[in-house]
Each structure stands twice: as structure tokens, then as C-alpha cells.
Amino acid sequence: MTCPIPQAELDEIYAFAIDLARKAGALLVERIEERNSEQVYAEKENAVDLVTQTDEDVESLIKTAINNKYPHHRFLGEETYAKGQSREYLIDEKPTWCVDPLDGTVNFTHAFPMFCVSIGLIVNHHPVIGVIYAPLLDQLFSSCLNRGAWLNESRQLPLIRKPAIPPLPPTAPSKCIFACEWGKDRRDIAGGNLERKIESFTTLAMEREARGGLGGMVHGVRSLGSATMDLAYTAMGTVDVWWEGGCWEWDVAAGIAILLEAGGLVTTANPPDDIDGPIESVKLGSRLYLAVRPAGPSATETGRQTQERTVREVWRRVRQLDYTRPGLQTSST
Ligand code: IPD
Ligand code: CA
């Protein structure tokens, strides 16, 4: 893609975002260490949709720093958005910071280390900068357009790249690590999203002969409890496939930037009518995501072909999820 912001300016913004993510991460750790009783939280939509004072404080730290440094940029943060009435998709072509101050809030309240701060910059609908910092793990994932994707600013992603980035397995999703999330919609509705997700997870986990030959026999099913961390680990190459419905743009903006810069693929979670047709890039804001790790060529396929084959094999095994979104633009990342 071409970005209207000159590379030198992007590089400066990138350094600013990394510094900011580290500061925000330090505040998250401080709050865990200060805690001497149960973490205090409020429930939003239901008992698993949580917000803590820390979510609010970290968002305010990030928002203030961005507004001071880049007053002409827009800002969209999870907590600011959650307080508004509208559920419209708000990002347009203007430079917009898309921020989750604390992804994996449930993990945070239990001091389970899979939580992070996520800072993305979207320009012309494309995520061009992504920074994710998981402070208890001290893992900082980052990328800037044309600058590669990095772990702790020193190890290029994906991690396994020498002598070459491996292709996806010829039998994928078998032999893959498959990540998914249970999500926050726990309503017991026959044919609802929870039922469809669980049926899909099970199909992917089952032996190959199961369900009329659709069994995925994946090596493992993982649920990290943070959509952002799922994407970061897919960019690292340690998760092969991530499939999810229901998360929001701040959960994925930075992760998509990092995954794309690392060489990954992101498309929609929902199988299209023509599974064998061209694979479209994901629409940020669609709430439906299927991500595949960076892949190198095999003897018979390009890396991209191994990714696309994997996407189609996952689509054959999952059910359509139903998450609507008003105001979604038609353009894709
Ligand atoms: C949630 C987590 C979770 C995903 C949800 C997100 P939060 O974000 O990423 O894994 O399933 O869709 O909303 O509430 O922890 O910031
Ligand atoms: Ca989140």
C-alpha cells in the first residue's frame, strides 16, 4: 500500500508509539503490584465483560500523550467508545489511533499474564503502525509499514525464519496450533454464536475421519483470552491459525498491522459462498477475523498459496458467525 504520511514521519510516530506502549505497560504492572485485595472491576454488557479503573487510567494516559503530540490525528479507544451510544464503525481515511489500553481485562483481574496494551495507527483504512506490549511477559511486538515486524525491537518476526520461514503443513489445519476465543456472548441460544463457535472448535480438534471427513485434527486448540495476543502470537509464527468473531477494531488494529508486516494473511472468519474464489483482505471493523501466520514456500507452492489453502480448509470446517456492524465501510485493509 502507499501511505500519504512520509516514511520519515511514520518512523518518528513509530518510535513515539513504542515509548508510549512501554509507559502504559509499566502502569499496568504497577497496578497489579499495588493490588492487595481482589481486583476491583465493573461489569459492562455482562459478568465477563469487565472494565477496571486501570483500563480507564491507561486509556487516558495514552489519549493525552497522543492529543498533545499529534492534535490533528483522531483517537478511538475502547473505553471512550464504550461510553458512547452509537455502535457505528467510526474510522475513515484520516489518520486514526485505534487503542485498547488493556486487552485481556479478565486475565488482568486474575494476574494471568496474557494481557497487553495495544496501539495501532490506521491511515486510509490501513493499519500502518502496530505496537503491543504484554508487560508481565515483557514482550513488545511492533511494526511500521516497510520496517518489518519485531519482538522486543531486536528479533524479527516470524521467529522461525532461518534457513527459511516454514510453509503451512500440507495437511493444514492438521498439525497446526489453532487459536480461538470463547468471547463474551455466553447466551444459551440454540444456533447462536456460542453454539456455532464450539461446534467449529470441536470440528477442528476432532480426528480426521470425524464429521464426514471434516475433522481438523489440529495439534492444539488455544484460547489466550486476548484477541490482541492471539494476533501477536500468529505474527510470531507460534500460532498457525486464529479464528474469531465478535471482537472490535481496537482488539485487532495493532495486531493486524504487525501480522501483515510479518507476512501473515488476515481475512474474514465467515466462509464465503464461493470458498474457492479470490480471498479478500479483512475489513477492519467487521468483527470477523481469520488470520494465518507468515509462511514460506514449499516444494510445490508459494508461501501465499499455503496460506490460502489453509484459509479454505478452515472455512470448510467452521460455521458462519453472526455479528452485525452498522456503518462499516466497504474498503478493506
Ligand atoms: C476481549 C478479549 C477477548 C475477546 C473479546 C475482546 P477485553 O477484550 O480480547 O479475548 O474474545 O472479543 O473484547 O475486554 O479484554 O479488552
Ligand atoms: Ca479489548
Side-chain angles (χ1 to χ4, degrees):
M1 70 153 294
T2 48
C3 177
I5 302 179
Q7 188 72 47
E9 196 181 329
L10 266 189
D11 290 345
E12 251 182 63
I13 301 174
Y14 182 35
F16 164 81
I18 289 177
D19 182 57
L20 190 53
R22 287 199 186 279
K23 285 182 177 139
L27 180 54
L28 291 175
V29 172
E30 205 179 286
R31 290 298 172 82
I32 289 219
E33 284 169 352
E34 269 172 9
R35 191 175 110 186
N36 48 18
S37 60
E38 282 273 289
Q39 185 76 44
V40 179
Y41 53 77
E43 294 173 5
K44 294 196 273 189
E45 303 270 320
N46 65 21
V48 295
D49 190 12
L50 306 182
V51 60
T52 67
Q53 187 57 46
T54 306
D55 295 66
E56 308 267 2
D57 294 347
V58 175
E59 180 155 321
S60 140
L61 179 148
I62 296 173
K63 190 176 180 182
T64 306
I66 290 175
N67 285 346
N68 288 341
K69 179 95 178 164
Y70 300 106
H72 54 294
H73 288 177
R74 294 187 169 183
F75 180 90
L76 180 72
E78 171 166 18
E79 302 317 327
T80 319
Y81 185 95
K83 289 198 181 89
Q85 292 307 307
S86 155
R87 287 294 165 263
E88 289 259 326
Y89 180 67
L90 297 175
I91 299 177
D92 60 15
E93 66 287 342
K94 303 194 184 69
T96 305
W97 292 83
C98 188
V99 170
D100 194 341
L102 169 51
D103 192 56
T105 305
V106 169
N107 286 341
F108 176 78
T109 62
H110 293 263
F112 185 81
M114 284 290 169
F115 62 83
C116 59
V117 49
S118 174
I119 301 178
L121 180 70
I122 316 294
V123 182
N124 256 341
H125 304 285
H126 293 273
V128 293
I129 287 175
V131 183
I132 294 169
Y133 184 43
L136 272 195
L137 302 169
D138 198 18
Q139 289 185 324
L140 184 125
F141 302 88
S142 66
S143 74
C144 177
L145 193 66
N146 305 319
R147 295 292 187 229
W150 300 87
L151 172 62
N152 292 339
E153 297 179 77
S154 56
R155 296 190 67 181
Q156 195 167 6
L157 303 181
L159 288 183
I160 301 176
R161 51 188 310 110
K162 285 187 181 147
I165 300 171
L168 272 304
T171 53
S174 142
K175 299 191 187 339
C176 286
I177 292 283
F178 173 75
C180 55
E181 295 295 335
W182 289 71
K184 293 173 177 171
D185 184 355
R186 307 293 174 85
R187 289 171 299 169
D188 183 16
I189 299 173
N193 280 322
L194 186 57
E195 189 183 285
R196 295 182 205 187
K197 277 188 171 184
I198 291 165
E199 192 184 317
S200 306
F201 304 166
T202 315
T203 306
L204 279 151
M206 277 179 168
E207 59 186 338
R208 298 211 65 125
E209 303 69 35
R211 298 190 170 170
L214 282 184
M217 198 64 177
V218 297
H219 261 173
V221 179
R222 302 286 177 266
S223 194
L224 302 183
S226 158
T228 308
M229 293 300 285
D230 291 321
L231 274 167
Y233 276 41
T234 310
M236 236 192 331
T238 45
V239 161
D240 298 288
V241 176
W242 175 63
W243 181 77
E244 165 70 325
C247 50
W248 301 87
E249 45 275 22
W250 45 81
D251 297 314
V252 298
I256 289 179
I258 295 166
L259 179 68
L260 293 179
E261 192 64 23
L265 182 160
V266 197
T267 185
T268 178
N270 274 354
D273 293 339
D274 179 12
I275 283 185
D276 295 314
I279 291 179
E280 290 190 12
S281 297
V282 76
K283 292 182 178 64
L284 188 66
S286 69
R287 307 188 66 202
L288 295 161
Y289 303 100
L290 170 57
V292 176
R293 70 157 165 84
S298 67
T300 53
E301 293 172 301
T302 65
R304 174 79 190 187
Q305 283 169 334
T306 80
Q307 291 173 321
E308 294 200 352
R309 170 173 49 73
T310 304
V311 164
R312 294 191 173 99
E313 291 304 321
V314 173
W315 276 341
R316 286 185 220 287
R317 291 166 170 84
V318 293
R319 292 192 58 186
Q320 293 268 351
L321 299 174
D322 181 17
Y323 293 97
T324 51
R325 191 67 192 283
L328 185 64
Q329 312 273 319
T330 48
S331 52
S332 43
T333 61

